[in-house]
Amino acid sequence: MDPSPIRHDWTQREVLQLFQQPFSDLLHQAQATHRAHFDPNRVQVSTLLSIKTGACPEDCKYCPQSIRYDTGLEREQVMAVEEVVDAARRARAAGATRFCMGAAWRSPKDKDLQTVEAMVREVKALGMETCLTLGMLRDGQAERLRDAGLDYYNHNLDTSEAYYDEIITTRSYQDRLDTLEKVRDAGLKTCCGGIIGMGEAREDRVALLRTLATLPVHPQSVPINQLVQVPGTPLHGIEPPDPFEFVRTIAVARLLMPGSYVRLSAGREQMSDELQALCFLAGANSIFYGDKLLTTGNPEADADRQLLDRLGMGFEERACAQTQCETNDPA
Ligand code: SAM
Ligand code: DTB
Ligand code: SF4
């Protein structure tokens, strides 16, 4: 019997209770749920590319790309379509099934969207899944991207609504929810998660996961990032999270959104192999693959292949091959 049917009515108290269980009980439950919905030994692999880097007008306190913080990052204009397609080809040859293109924008201009549409069309033509993260979308933009062949749009909630103002002041939580709605309404899959280790309390992690799990449709992909601390950003030097609390967050995400891919996202370079293995045990089944995230480092591809090999795990060849990923038509 499925130990955890898909629900959208989680309460803060219920989610907190999941978090508070003894570690072994939580992991056992999360692993049982994981096995009911996925092959536990397969991970989905996505490769990231920054198609427009730095000089972002927003003030996200974690982000090396904000123009407000001196992080020494060189700004770069929008990449040429051919260069992007070459990078996607290399990612495909290395085994990635999804190519995620990110831009340091508050929101894309219609003129920029034309270039991005060409990127999506050509990456899709390689037989890869496509994902974009470009900031807030205006009416009609999600439809244009869908028509170009976009599969996923990434837009994170980042943290709880209550803690949000400590982290970003240049756009609201509601702005983010509105963009997510536009993405869903266009029939795109959503990739939406947050960042752990920004000084938030457990109740904020609970609230973030609850918000994700009570959206009209669970995000099909849920990236759980650990803050990558970059010198010059306001959050540099903050106390890193307890690794077991990070694993708990993954496990609770798995329990709340049983049919979604939970991505062990940014921060892996700072994690031991053992901690990553615990995250997989807790139900993470997706990673970013390739030696760079957007502007910061990620483990070398060889190291990742070796790690998965040591764990008897491997790449999933086709995403959503075996899951009950939700569609955008709420039940
Ligand atoms: N500018 C667009 C936006 O913010 O929507 C898209 C790119 S932005 C870099 C995408 C996501 O990356 C952010 O929402 C945040 O969750 C994550 N991110 C950025 N900097 C990070 C860091 N230092 N550590 C962990 N995650 C980070
Ligand atoms: C997500 O949740 N994490 C990725 C992706 N979605 C776009 C980005 C991580 C960025 C880490 C900091 C950097 O490399 O600039
Ligand atoms: Fe800009 Fe996105 Fe970074 Fe915020 S997270 S500063 S919006 S690039």
Side-chain angles (χ1 to χ4, degrees):
M1 201 190 78
D2 183 352
S4 47
I6 291 174
R7 291 175 46 193
H8 296 82
D9 60 352
W10 296 95
T11 65
Q12 177 86 5
R13 195 182 147 77
E14 277 179 309
V15 180
L16 182 62
Q17 279 170 348
L18 291 175
F19 254 97
Q20 284 172 335
Q21 295 178 84
F23 189 73
S24 297
D25 292 351
L26 174 57
L27 257 68
H28 178 74
Q29 214 185 325
Q31 178 64 204
T33 293
H34 191 36
R35 282 170 184 265
H37 291 262
F38 289 96
D39 176 342
N41 300 314
R42 291 276 160 257
V43 283
Q44 186 278 330
V45 284
S46 299
T47 293
L48 264 176
L49 178 70
S50 179
I51 60 166
K52 186 268 166 184
T53 305
C56 181
E58 302 292 278
D59 70 351
C60 315
K61 285 202 175 75
Y62 49 76
C63 187
Q65 302 202 68
S66 167
I67 200 162
R68 297 164 195 241
Y69 316 129
D70 184 6
T71 62
L73 186 72
E74 293 261 344
R75 64 189 290 180
E76 289 167 32
Q77 303 297 331
V78 181
M79 281 174 73
V81 176
E82 230 0 86
E83 268 183 273
V84 173
V85 179
D86 282 347
R89 231 180 251 118
R90 287 193 295 276
R92 183 184 65 174
T97 54
R98 190 178 309 158
F99 196 63
C100 306
M101 296 159 271
W105 286 322
R106 170 177 164 82
S107 57
K109 299 193 184 69
D110 281 334
K111 162 173 85 55
D112 295 321
L113 220 59
Q114 263 183 26
T115 313
V116 174
E117 283 169 319
M119 292 173 185
V120 169
R121 262 195 304 275
E122 298 211 18
V123 173
K124 185 75 179 169
L126 299 177
M128 299 184 86
E129 289 185 317
T130 52
C131 177
L132 287 173
T133 180
L134 312 173
M136 292 185 286
L137 294 180
R138 282 189 299 277
D139 283 346
Q141 292 188 318
E143 286 76 6
R144 279 179 60 179
L145 295 170
R146 175 200 64 205
D147 294 344
L150 186 67
D151 295 301
Y152 287 80
Y153 194 83
N154 165 254
H155 199 63
N156 289 337
L157 290 176
D158 282 348
T159 191
S160 68
E161 187 167 14
Y163 195 61
Y164 184 83
D165 290 351
E166 301 290 322
I167 305 295
I168 300 140
T169 68
T170 48
R171 72 172 79 153
S172 69
Y173 213 69
Q174 189 58 48
D175 287 335
R176 289 183 184 259
L177 293 167
D178 290 348
T179 290
L180 290 168
E181 187 177 3
K182 291 187 173 75
V183 170
R184 279 195 309 271
D185 287 352
L188 293 168
K189 291 180 180 154
T190 53
C191 172
C192 182
I195 308 178
I196 307 306
M198 300 196 294
E200 75 286 348
R202 179 179 270 179
E203 68 186 34
D204 296 304
R205 293 183 281 274
V206 166
L208 165 67
L209 293 182
R210 175 175 177 243
T211 305
L212 293 170
T214 54
L215 289 170
V217 176
H218 292 170
Q220 289 83 358
S221 164
V222 181
I224 306 293
N225 297 276
Q226 174 163 298
L227 174 69
V228 178
Q229 298 200 13
V230 179
T233 57
L235 290 179
H236 180 246
I238 199 166
E239 175 86 16
D242 173 359
F244 296 129
E245 184 70 9
F246 186 82
V247 178
R248 282 178 186 273
T249 309
I250 299 258
V252 174
R254 167 53 63 223
L255 288 169
L256 299 187
M257 295 166 279
S260 301
Y261 283 78
V262 175
R263 181 172 303 137
L264 172 54
S265 193
R268 287 198 302 117
E269 209 181 26
Q270 289 71 37
M271 293 178 193
S272 67
D273 288 348
E274 295 86 338
L275 175 56
Q276 293 184 61
L278 271 181
C279 291
F280 294 133
L281 191 64
N285 61 346
S286 169
I287 56 170
F288 283 125
Y289 174 64
D291 60 5
K292 208 167 169 199
L293 292 164
L294 289 171
T295 67
T296 65
N298 196 44
E300 296 286 337
D302 272 356
D304 276 344
R305 278 195 299 265
Q306 277 175 32
L307 172 61
L308 292 178
D309 206 36
R310 285 163 69 206
L311 298 174
M313 297 174 74
F315 290 178
E316 183 182 281
E317 284 176 13
R318 190 166 58 88
C320 281
Q322 10 122 56
T323 180
Q324 297 84 354
C325 258
E326 283 196 297
T327 68
N328 287 343
D329 307 317

